[in-house]
Amino acid sequence: MPANLGPDYLAAEQEYRHAQTAHEKIAALEKMWATLPKHKGTEKMQADIKKRLSQARKESQKKGAAHATPFYLVEREGARQVVLLGPPNSGKSSLVCAVTHAHPEVAPYPFTTRMPTPGMMNFENVQIQLVDLPPLDPEFTEPWIPQAIRNANASVMVVDVNDPGSLEEIEFIEASLAEWKLPLPFLLAGNQIDKPRGRENFEALADLYQDRYPCVAISTTTGVGLPDFARAVFGRLNLVRVYTKAPGKKADYSSPYVLQRGETVLDAARHVHKDFAENLKYARLFHKNGEHDGLMVDRQHVVDDEDILEFHI
Ligand SMILES: Nc1nc2c(ncn2[C@@H]2O[C@H](COP(=O)(O)OP(=O)(O)OP(=O)(O)O)[C@@H](O)[C@H]2O)c(=O)[nH]1
Ligand SMILES: [Mg+2]
């Protein structure tokens, strides 16, 4: 046994040997992983812990499967629901911690997240629900992941730009989505750009993938790029915000109606109340920036982001 293994690691290994249940094994292996010095001399041990961790997780999954409830389906809230996909340790949970009030567990070892955790991200006055998911990995992927993705409006791929395995990991995720007949993520978030050469690594990744995905550079540690991330998610969702106002009154900008781009004045009226929609004759259109200024528009007029509508019935 290498001499540099500390007492914490040895205690964890002891715990592992005495573990009775899959759950106890996982807990002990996680401690072993966290306390193992990570260098060339321990590479074999690292691989071994990862393998045992993955096996123990599979085991615990099988046991729970018979009476599993659909805990993985997070009820949609906010304007849209977006799930975070990615390889282990890319920083999905860190991202949810950084841009929402939720606190999913973050840890330096892989396969930390086992359950979906939702959190609400604000882009200006729009709330977008992010859902942290367990990793997608050839060693082990939670069997309910495809349903969780299907249940959401869209998915974002989060990768660690410094991880030399990220190209293979992206390929694996793309192949998994194809197999499940699910669409590709609509955005690639290149995380951990604060690390040495992080920017360069991001540029290299973006060069390869920007034809397929818009790429955003972020660091959940320093916060760099997080406002761009929120804007990109909003933009890729193809949403428009519509405010309503009464004649002679000001619009309330705090809670927009959120519509899909391409929807019309009539669709907007339906969001407000179906009676409005049925009886709607026309609307007057205003814009925050002073454009339009009360222009009369018919029911089929396609609305734009931040349009203000005054309905006339
Ligand atoms: N330097 C740096 N470290 C980060 C950043 N984001 C996450 N980390 C670290 O990366 C490790 C993994 O982060 P997590 O958020 O747990 O990763 P995850 O993708 O949720 O991992 P799994 O749940 O195992 O799939 C932790 O040690 C984080 O502190 C970042 O932007 N910069
Ligand atoms: Mg996680």
Coordinates of all heavy atoms in Angstrom, one line a residue, residues 226-305:
L226 N -22.3 33.7 -16.5 CA -23.6 33.2 -16.1 C -24.8 34.1 -16.6 O -25.8 33.6 -17.0 CB -23.7 33.1 -14.6 CG -22.7 32.0 -14.0 CD1 -22.8 31.9 -12.5 CD2 -22.9 30.7 -14.7
P227 N -24.6 35.5 -16.7 CA -25.7 36.3 -17.3 C -25.9 35.9 -18.8 O -27.0 35.8 -19.3 CB -25.2 37.7 -17.1 CG -24.2 37.7 -16.0 CD -23.6 36.3 -16.1
D228 N -24.7 35.6 -19.5 CA -24.8 35.2 -20.9 C -25.6 33.9 -21.0 O -26.3 33.6 -22.0 CB -23.4 35.0 -21.5 CG -22.6 36.3 -21.5 OD1 -23.2 37.4 -21.5 OD2 -21.4 36.2 -21.6
F229 N -25.3 33.0 -20.0 CA -26.0 31.7 -20.0 C -27.5 31.9 -20.0 O -28.2 31.3 -20.7 CB -25.4 30.9 -18.9 CG -26.2 29.6 -18.7 CD1 -26.0 28.5 -19.5 CD2 -27.2 29.5 -17.7 CE1 -26.7 27.3 -19.4 CE2 -27.9 28.3 -17.5 CZ -27.7 27.2 -18.3
A230 N -27.9 32.7 -19.0 CA -29.4 32.9 -18.8 C -30.0 33.5 -20.1 O -31.1 33.1 -20.6 CB -29.6 33.8 -17.6
R231 N -29.3 34.5 -20.7 CA -29.8 35.1 -21.9 C -29.9 34.1 -23.1 O -30.8 34.1 -23.8 CB -28.9 36.3 -22.3 CG -29.3 37.0 -23.6 CD -28.4 38.2 -23.8 NE -28.5 39.2 -22.7 CZ -29.6 40.1 -22.6 NH1 -30.5 40.1 -23.6 NH2 -29.6 40.9 -21.6
A232 N -28.8 33.3 -23.2 CA -28.8 32.3 -24.2 C -29.9 31.3 -24.1 O -30.6 30.9 -25.0 CB -27.5 31.6 -24.2
V233 N -30.2 30.8 -22.8 CA -31.3 29.9 -22.6 C -32.6 30.5 -23.0 O -33.4 29.9 -23.8 CB -31.3 29.4 -21.1 CG1 -32.6 28.6 -20.8 CG2 -30.1 28.6 -20.8
F234 N -32.8 31.8 -22.6 CA -34.1 32.5 -22.9 C -34.2 32.6 -24.5 O -35.2 32.3 -25.0 CB -34.1 33.8 -22.3 CG -35.3 34.7 -22.7 CD1 -36.5 34.4 -22.1 CD2 -35.2 35.7 -23.7 CE1 -37.7 35.1 -22.5 CE2 -36.3 36.4 -24.0 CZ -37.5 36.1 -23.5
G235 N -33.1 33.0 -25.1 CA -33.1 33.1 -26.5 C -33.4 31.8 -27.3 O -34.2 31.8 -28.2
R236 N -32.8 30.8 -26.8 CA -32.9 29.5 -27.5 C -34.3 28.9 -27.3 O -34.8 28.0 -28.1 CB -31.9 28.5 -27.0 CG -30.5 28.9 -27.5 CD -30.3 28.7 -29.0 NE -30.3 27.3 -29.4 CZ -30.5 26.9 -30.6 NH1 -30.8 27.8 -31.6 NH2 -30.5 25.7 -30.9
L237 N -35.0 29.3 -26.2 CA -36.4 28.8 -26.0 C -37.3 29.5 -27.0 O -38.5 29.0 -27.0 CB -36.8 29.1 -24.5 CG -36.1 28.1 -23.5 CD1 -36.4 28.6 -22.1 CD2 -36.7 26.7 -23.7
N238 N -36.9 30.5 -27.7 CA -37.8 31.2 -28.6 C -39.0 31.7 -28.0 O -40.2 31.5 -28.4 CB -38.2 30.2 -29.7 CG -37.3 30.3 -30.9 OD1 -37.0 31.5 -31.3 ND2 -37.0 29.2 -31.5
L239 N -38.8 32.4 -26.9 CA -40.0 33.0 -26.2 C -40.1 34.5 -26.4 O -39.2 35.1 -26.8 CB -39.8 32.8 -24.7 CG -39.6 31.3 -24.2 CD1 -39.3 31.3 -22.7 CD2 -40.8 30.5 -24.6
V240 N -41.4 34.9 -26.3 CA -41.6 36.4 -26.3 C -42.4 36.7 -25.1 O -43.3 36.0 -24.7 CB -42.3 36.8 -27.6 CG1 -41.4 36.7 -28.8 CG2 -43.6 36.1 -27.8
R241 N -42.1 37.9 -24.6 CA -42.9 38.4 -23.4 C -43.9 39.4 -23.9 O -43.6 40.3 -24.7 CB -42.0 39.1 -22.4 CG -41.0 38.1 -21.7 CD -39.9 38.9 -21.1 NE -38.9 39.3 -22.0 CZ -37.8 39.9 -21.7 NH1 -37.5 40.2 -20.5 NH2 -36.9 40.2 -22.6
V242 N -45.1 39.3 -23.3 CA -46.1 40.2 -23.7 C -46.7 40.8 -22.4 O -47.0 40.1 -21.5 CB -47.3 39.5 -24.5 CG1 -48.4 40.5 -24.7 CG2 -46.7 39.1 -25.9
Y243 N -46.8 42.1 -22.4 CA -47.5 42.8 -21.2 C -48.8 43.3 -21.7 O -49.1 43.6 -22.8 CB -46.6 44.0 -20.8 CG -45.2 43.6 -20.6 CD1 -44.2 44.1 -21.5 CD2 -44.7 42.9 -19.5 CE1 -42.9 43.8 -21.3 CE2 -43.4 42.6 -19.3 CZ -42.5 43.0 -20.3 OH -41.1 42.7 -20.1
T244 N -49.7 43.4 -20.7 CA -51.0 44.0 -21.0 C -51.2 45.3 -20.3 O -50.6 45.5 -19.2 CB -52.2 43.0 -20.7 OG1 -52.1 42.7 -19.3 CG2 -52.1 41.7 -21.5
K245 N -52.1 46.1 -20.8 CA -52.4 47.4 -20.1 C -53.8 47.8 -20.4 O -54.4 47.4 -21.4 CB -51.4 48.5 -20.5 CG -51.6 49.1 -21.9 CD -50.5 50.1 -22.1 CE -51.0 51.5 -22.6 NZ -52.3 52.0 -22.2
A246 N -54.3 48.5 -19.4 CA -55.7 49.1 -19.6 C -55.5 50.4 -20.3 O -54.5 51.1 -20.2 CB -56.4 49.2 -18.3
P247 N -56.5 50.9 -21.1 CA -56.4 52.2 -21.7 C -56.1 53.3 -20.7 O -56.7 53.3 -19.6 CB -57.8 52.4 -22.3 CG -58.4 51.0 -22.5 CD -57.8 50.2 -21.4
G248 N -55.1 54.1 -21.1 CA -54.8 55.2 -20.2 C -53.9 54.8 -19.0 O -53.5 55.7 -18.3
K249 N -53.7 53.5 -18.8 CA -52.9 53.1 -17.7 C -51.5 52.6 -18.2 O -51.3 52.4 -19.4 CB -53.6 51.9 -17.0 CG -54.9 52.3 -16.4 CD -54.7 52.7 -14.9 CE -55.9 53.4 -14.3 NZ -57.1 52.7 -14.4
K250 N -50.6 52.4 -17.2 CA -49.3 51.9 -17.5 C -49.3 50.3 -17.5 O -50.1 49.7 -16.8 CB -48.3 52.4 -16.6 CG -47.9 53.8 -16.8 CD -46.5 54.1 -16.3 CE -46.0 55.4 -17.0 NZ -45.0 56.1 -16.2
A251 N -48.4 49.8 -18.2 CA -48.3 48.3 -18.2 C -47.6 47.8 -16.9 O -46.8 48.6 -16.4 CB -47.5 47.8 -19.4
D252 N -47.9 46.6 -16.5 CA -47.2 46.0 -15.4 C -46.1 45.1 -16.0 O -46.3 44.1 -16.6 CB -48.2 45.2 -14.5 CG -47.4 44.4 -13.5 OD1 -46.2 44.6 -13.2 OD2 -48.1 43.5 -12.8
Y253 N -44.8 45.5 -15.8 CA -43.7 44.8 -16.4 C -43.2 43.6 -15.5 O -42.3 42.9 -15.9 CB -42.5 45.7 -16.6 CG -42.8 46.8 -17.6 CD1 -42.7 48.2 -17.3 CD2 -43.2 46.5 -18.9 CE1 -42.9 49.2 -18.2 CE2 -43.5 47.5 -19.8 CZ -43.4 48.8 -19.5 OH -43.7 49.8 -20.4
S254 N -43.8 43.5 -14.3 CA -43.2 42.5 -13.4 C -43.6 41.0 -13.8 O -42.8 40.1 -13.5 CB -43.6 42.8 -12.0 OG -45.0 42.6 -11.8
S255 N -44.8 40.9 -14.4 CA -45.2 39.5 -14.7 C -45.7 39.3 -16.1 O -46.9 39.4 -16.3 CB -46.2 39.0 -13.7 OG -47.2 39.9 -13.6
P256 N -44.8 39.2 -17.0 CA -45.2 39.1 -18.4 C -46.0 37.8 -18.7 O -45.8 36.8 -18.0 CB -43.9 39.0 -19.2 CG -42.9 38.5 -18.2 CD -43.3 39.0 -16.9
Y257 N -46.8 37.8 -19.8 CA -47.3 36.5 -20.3 C -46.2 36.0 -21.2 O -45.6 36.8 -22.0 CB -48.6 36.7 -21.1 CG -49.7 37.2 -20.2 CD1 -50.0 38.5 -20.1 CD2 -50.4 36.2 -19.5 CE1 -51.0 38.9 -19.2 CE2 -51.4 36.6 -18.6 CZ -51.7 38.0 -18.5 OH -52.7 38.4 -17.6
V258 N -45.8 34.8 -21.1 CA -44.7 34.2 -21.9 C -45.3 33.3 -23.0 O -46.0 32.4 -22.7 CB -43.7 33.4 -21.0 CG1 -42.6 32.9 -21.9 CG2 -43.2 34.3 -20.0
L259 N -45.1 33.7 -24.2 CA -45.6 33.0 -25.4 C -44.4 32.5 -26.2 O -43.3 32.9 -26.1 CB -46.4 34.0 -26.3 CG -47.8 34.3 -25.8 CD1 -47.9 35.2 -24.7 CD2 -48.6 34.9 -27.0
Q260 N -44.8 31.5 -27.1 CA -43.8 31.0 -28.1 C -43.7 32.0 -29.2 O -44.7 32.6 -29.6 CB -44.3 29.7 -28.6 CG -43.2 28.7 -28.9 CD -42.2 28.3 -27.8 OE1 -42.7 28.1 -26.7 NE2 -40.9 28.3 -28.1
R261 N -42.5 32.3 -29.7 CA -42.3 33.1 -30.9 C -43.2 32.6 -32.0 O -43.3 31.4 -32.3 CB -40.9 33.2 -31.3 CG -40.6 34.3 -32.3 CD -39.1 34.5 -32.5 NE -38.5 35.3 -31.4 CZ -38.6 36.6 -31.2 NH1 -39.4 37.3 -32.0 NH2 -38.0 37.2 -30.2
G262 N -43.9 33.5 -32.7 CA -44.8 33.1 -33.8 C -46.3 33.2 -33.3 O -47.2 33.2 -34.1
E263 N -46.5 33.3 -32.0 CA -47.9 33.3 -31.5 C -48.4 34.8 -31.8 O -47.7 35.7 -32.0 CB -48.0 32.9 -30.1 CG -47.8 31.4 -29.9 CD -48.3 30.9 -28.6 OE1 -47.6 31.1 -27.5 OE2 -49.3 30.2 -28.5
T264 N -49.8 34.8 -31.7 CA -50.4 36.1 -32.2 C -51.1 36.8 -31.0 O -51.1 36.3 -29.9 CB -51.5 35.7 -33.2 OG1 -52.5 34.9 -32.5 CG2 -51.0 35.0 -34.4
V265 N -51.7 38.0 -31.4 CA -52.5 38.8 -30.4 C -53.6 37.9 -29.8 O -53.8 37.9 -28.6 CB -53.1 40.0 -31.2 CG1 -54.2 40.6 -30.3 CG2 -51.9 41.0 -31.5
L266 N -54.2 37.1 -30.7 CA -55.3 36.2 -30.2 C -54.7 35.2 -29.2 O -55.4 35.0 -28.1 CB -55.9 35.5 -31.4 CG -57.1 34.5 -31.0 CD1 -58.2 35.3 -30.4 CD2 -57.6 33.8 -32.3
D267 N -53.6 34.6 -29.4 CA -53.0 33.7 -28.5 C -52.7 34.4 -27.2 O -52.9 33.8 -26.1 CB -51.7 33.1 -29.0 CG -51.9 32.3 -30.3 OD1 -52.8 31.5 -30.3 OD2 -51.1 32.4 -31.2
A268 N -52.2 35.6 -27.2 CA -51.9 36.4 -26.0 C -53.2 36.6 -25.2 O -53.2 36.4 -24.0 CB -51.3 37.7 -26.4
A269 N -54.3 36.9 -25.9 CA -55.6 37.2 -25.3 C -56.0 35.9 -24.6 O -56.6 35.9 -23.5 CB -56.6 37.6 -26.3
R270 N -55.8 34.7 -25.2 CA -56.2 33.4 -24.6 C -55.5 33.2 -23.3 O -56.0 32.6 -22.3 CB -55.9 32.3 -25.5 CG -56.8 32.2 -26.7 CD -56.8 30.7 -27.2 NE -57.6 30.7 -28.4 CZ -57.1 30.7 -29.7 NH1 -55.8 30.7 -29.8 NH2 -57.9 30.6 -30.7
H271 N -54.2 33.7 -23.2 CA -53.5 33.5 -21.9 C -54.1 34.4 -20.8 O -54.1 34.0 -19.7 CB -52.0 34.0 -22.1 CG -51.1 33.0 -22.7 ND1 -50.3 32.2 -21.9 CD2 -50.9 32.6 -24.0 CE1 -49.6 31.4 -22.7 NE2 -50.0 31.6 -23.9
V272 N -54.7 35.5 -21.2 CA -55.3 36.4 -20.2 C -56.6 35.8 -19.7 O -56.8 35.6 -18.5 CB -55.5 37.8 -20.8 CG1 -56.1 38.7 -19.7 CG2 -54.2 38.3 -21.3
H273 N -57.5 35.5 -20.7 CA -58.8 35.0 -20.3 C -59.5 34.6 -21.6 O -59.4 35.2 -22.6 CB -59.6 36.1 -19.6 CG -60.8 35.5 -18.9 ND1 -61.9 35.1 -19.5 CD2 -60.9 35.3 -17.6 CE1 -62.8 34.6 -18.6 NE2 -62.2 34.7 -17.4
K274 N -60.2 33.4 -21.5 CA -60.8 33.0 -22.8 C -61.9 33.9 -23.3 O -62.1 33.9 -24.5 CB -61.2 31.5 -22.7 CG -62.4 31.1 -21.9 CD -62.7 29.7 -22.1 CE -63.8 29.1 -21.3 NZ -64.7 29.9 -20.5
D275 N -62.6 34.6 -22.4 CA -63.6 35.5 -22.8 C -63.0 36.6 -23.6 O -63.6 37.1 -24.6 CB -64.3 36.1 -21.6 CG -65.2 35.1 -20.9 OD1 -65.4 34.0 -21.5 OD2 -65.7 35.4 -19.8
F276 N -61.9 37.1 -23.2 CA -61.2 38.1 -24.0 C -61.0 37.6 -25.4 O -61.2 38.3 -26.4 CB -59.8 38.3 -23.4 CG -59.6 39.5 -22.6 CD1 -58.9 39.5 -21.4 CD2 -60.1 40.7 -23.0 CE1 -58.7 40.6 -20.6 CE2 -59.9 41.9 -22.2 CZ -59.2 41.8 -21.0
A277 N -60.5 36.4 -25.5 CA -60.1 35.9 -26.8 C -61.4 35.8 -27.7 O -61.3 36.2 -28.8 CB -59.5 34.5 -26.6
E278 N -62.5 35.3 -27.1 CA -63.7 35.1 -27.9 C -64.2 36.4 -28.4 O -64.6 36.5 -29.6 CB -64.8 34.4 -27.1 CG -64.7 32.9 -27.1 CD -65.6 32.3 -26.1 OE1 -66.6 32.9 -25.7 OE2 -65.3 31.2 -25.6
N279 N -64.2 37.4 -27.6 CA -64.8 38.7 -28.0 C -63.8 39.7 -28.5 O -64.2 40.9 -28.8 CB -65.5 39.3 -26.7 CG -66.5 38.3 -26.2 OD1 -67.3 37.7 -27.0 ND2 -66.6 38.2 -24.9
L280 N -62.6 39.3 -28.6 CA -61.6 40.3 -29.0 C -61.8 40.9 -30.4 O -62.0 40.1 -31.4 CB -60.2 39.7 -28.9 CG -59.0 40.6 -29.2 CD1 -58.8 41.6 -28.1 CD2 -57.7 39.7 -29.5
K281 N -61.9 42.2 -30.5 CA -62.0 42.8 -31.8 C -60.6 43.2 -32.4 O -60.3 42.9 -33.5 CB -62.9 44.1 -31.7 CG -64.3 43.7 -31.4 CD -65.3 44.8 -31.9 CE -66.7 44.5 -31.6 NZ -67.0 44.6 -30.2
Y282 N -59.9 43.9 -31.6 CA -58.6 44.3 -32.0 C -57.7 44.6 -30.8 O -58.3 44.6 -29.7 CB -58.6 45.5 -33.0 CG -59.1 46.8 -32.3 CD1 -58.2 47.7 -31.8 CD2 -60.5 47.0 -32.2 CE1 -58.6 48.9 -31.2 CE2 -60.9 48.2 -31.6 CZ -60.0 49.1 -31.1 OH -60.4 50.2 -30.4
A283 N -56.5 44.9 -31.0 CA -55.7 45.4 -29.9 C -54.9 46.6 -30.3 O -54.7 46.9 -31.5 CB -54.7 44.3 -29.5
R284 N -54.5 47.4 -29.3 CA -53.6 48.5 -29.6 C -52.2 48.1 -29.1 O -52.1 47.5 -28.0 CB -54.0 49.8 -28.9 CG -55.1 50.4 -29.6 CD -55.3 51.9 -29.2 NE -56.5 52.4 -29.8 CZ -56.5 52.9 -31.0 NH1 -55.4 52.9 -31.7 NH2 -57.6 53.4 -31.5
L285 N -51.2 48.3 -29.9 CA -49.9 47.8 -29.7 C -48.9 49.0 -29.2 O -48.9 50.0 -29.9 CB -49.3 47.2 -30.9 CG -47.9 46.6 -30.9 CD1 -47.8 45.5 -29.9 CD2 -47.6 46.1 -32.3
F286 N -48.3 48.7 -28.1 CA -47.2 49.7 -27.7 C -45.9 48.9 -27.5 O -45.9 47.7 -27.5 CB -47.6 50.3 -26.3 CG -49.0 51.0 -26.4 CD1 -50.2 50.3 -26.3 CD2 -49.0 52.4 -26.4 CE1 -51.4 51.0 -26.3 CE2 -50.2 53.1 -26.5 CZ -51.4 52.4 -26.4
H287 N -44.9 49.6 -27.3 CA -43.6 48.9 -27.0 C -42.9 49.7 -25.9 O -43.0 51.0 -25.9 CB -42.8 48.7 -28.2 CG -41.8 47.6 -28.0 ND1 -40.6 47.8 -27.5 CD2 -41.9 46.3 -28.3 CE1 -39.9 46.7 -27.4 NE2 -40.7 45.7 -28.0
K288 N -42.2 49.0 -25.1 CA -41.4 49.7 -24.0 C -40.5 50.8 -24.5 O -40.4 51.8 -23.9 CB -40.5 48.6 -23.4 CG -40.8 48.2 -22.0 CD -39.8 47.2 -21.5 CE -39.7 47.2 -20.0 NZ -38.8 46.1 -19.5
N289 N -40.0 50.6 -25.7 CA -39.0 51.6 -26.2 C -39.8 52.7 -27.0 O -39.1 53.5 -27.7 CB -38.0 50.9 -27.1 CG -38.7 50.2 -28.3 OD1 -39.8 50.4 -28.6 ND2 -37.9 49.4 -29.0
G290 N -41.1 52.7 -26.9 CA -41.9 53.9 -27.5 C -42.3 53.6 -28.9 O -43.0 54.4 -29.5
E291 N -41.9 52.5 -29.5 CA -42.3 52.2 -30.8 C -43.8 51.9 -30.9 O -44.4 51.6 -29.8 CB -41.6 50.9 -31.3 CG -40.4 51.1 -32.2 CD -39.8 49.8 -32.5 OE1 -40.5 48.9 -32.9 OE2 -38.6 49.6 -32.2
H292 N -44.4 51.9 -32.0 CA -45.8 51.6 -32.3 C -46.8 52.6 -31.7 O -47.7 53.1 -32.4 CB -46.2 50.2 -31.8 CG -45.2 49.1 -32.2 ND1 -44.8 49.0 -33.5 CD2 -44.5 48.2 -31.5 CE1 -44.0 48.0 -33.6 NE2 -43.8 47.5 -32.4
D293 N -46.7 52.9 -30.5 CA -47.5 53.9 -29.8 C -49.0 53.8 -30.1 O -49.6 54.8 -30.6 CB -46.9 55.3 -30.3 CG -47.2 56.4 -29.3 OD1 -47.4 56.0 -28.1 OD2 -47.3 57.6 -29.6
G294 N -49.5 52.7 -29.9 CA -51.0 52.6 -29.9 C -51.5 52.1 -31.3 O -52.7 52.1 -31.5
L295 N -50.6 51.6 -32.1 CA -51.0 51.1 -33.4 C -52.1 50.1 -33.3 O -52.0 49.2 -32.5 CB -49.7 50.5 -34.1 CG -49.9 49.9 -35.5 CD1 -50.0 51.0 -36.5 CD2 -48.7 49.0 -35.8
M296 N -53.1 50.2 -34.1 CA -54.2 49.2 -34.1 C -53.7 47.9 -34.8 O -53.3 48.0 -35.9 CB -55.4 49.7 -34.8 CG -56.7 49.5 -34.1 SD -58.0 50.5 -34.9 CE -58.9 49.2 -35.6
V297 N -53.9 46.7 -34.1 CA -53.5 45.5 -34.8 C -54.6 44.5 -34.7 O -55.4 44.5 -33.7 CB -52.2 44.9 -34.2 CG1 -50.9 45.7 -34.5 CG2 -52.3 44.7 -32.7
D298 N -54.7 43.6 -35.7 CA -55.8 42.6 -35.6 C -55.4 41.3 -34.8 O -54.2 41.2 -34.4 CB -56.4 42.3 -37.0 CG -55.3 41.6 -37.9 OD1 -54.4 40.9 -37.3 OD2 -55.5 41.6 -39.1
R299 N -56.3 40.4 -34.7 CA -56.1 39.2 -33.9 C -55.0 38.4 -34.4 O -54.3 37.7 -33.6 CB -57.4 38.4 -33.9 CG -58.6 39.1 -33.3 CD -59.9 38.5 -33.8 NE -60.1 37.1 -33.4 CZ -61.0 36.6 -32.6 NH1 -61.8 37.5 -32.0 NH2 -61.1 35.4 -32.3
Q300 N -54.7 38.4 -35.7 CA -53.7 37.5 -36.2 C -52.3 38.1 -36.2 O -51.3 37.5 -36.7 CB -54.0 37.1 -37.7 CG -55.3 36.3 -37.8 CD -55.4 35.2 -36.7 OE1 -54.5 34.5 -36.4 NE2 -56.6 35.0 -36.2
H301 N -52.2 39.3 -35.7 CA -50.9 40.0 -35.7 C -49.9 39.2 -34.8 O -50.2 38.9 -33.7 CB -51.0 41.4 -35.1 CG -49.7 42.2 -35.0 ND1 -49.2 42.8 -36.1 CD2 -48.9 42.3 -34.0 CE1 -48.0 43.4 -35.7 NE2 -47.8 43.1 -34.4
V302 N -48.7 38.9 -35.3 CA -47.7 38.1 -34.6 C -47.0 39.0 -33.5 O -46.5 40.1 -33.9 CB -46.7 37.5 -35.5 CG1 -45.6 36.8 -34.7 CG2 -47.4 36.5 -36.4
V303 N -47.0 38.6 -32.3 CA -46.4 39.5 -31.2 C -44.9 39.3 -31.2 O -44.4 38.3 -31.6 CB -47.1 39.2 -29.9 CG1 -48.5 39.6 -29.8 CG2 -46.9 37.7 -29.5
D304 N -44.3 40.4 -30.7 CA -42.8 40.4 -30.5 C -42.5 40.5 -29.1 O -43.3 40.9 -28.2 CB -42.3 41.6 -31.3 CG -40.9 41.4 -31.8 OD1 -40.3 40.4 -31.4 OD2 -40.4 42.3 -32.5
D305 N -41.2 40.2 -28.8 CA -40.8 40.3 -27.4 C -41.0 41.7 -26.8 O -40.6 42.7 -27.4 CB -39.3 39.9 -27.2 CG -38.9 39.7 -25.8 OD1 -39.8 39.3 -24.9 OD2 -37.7 39.9 -25.4

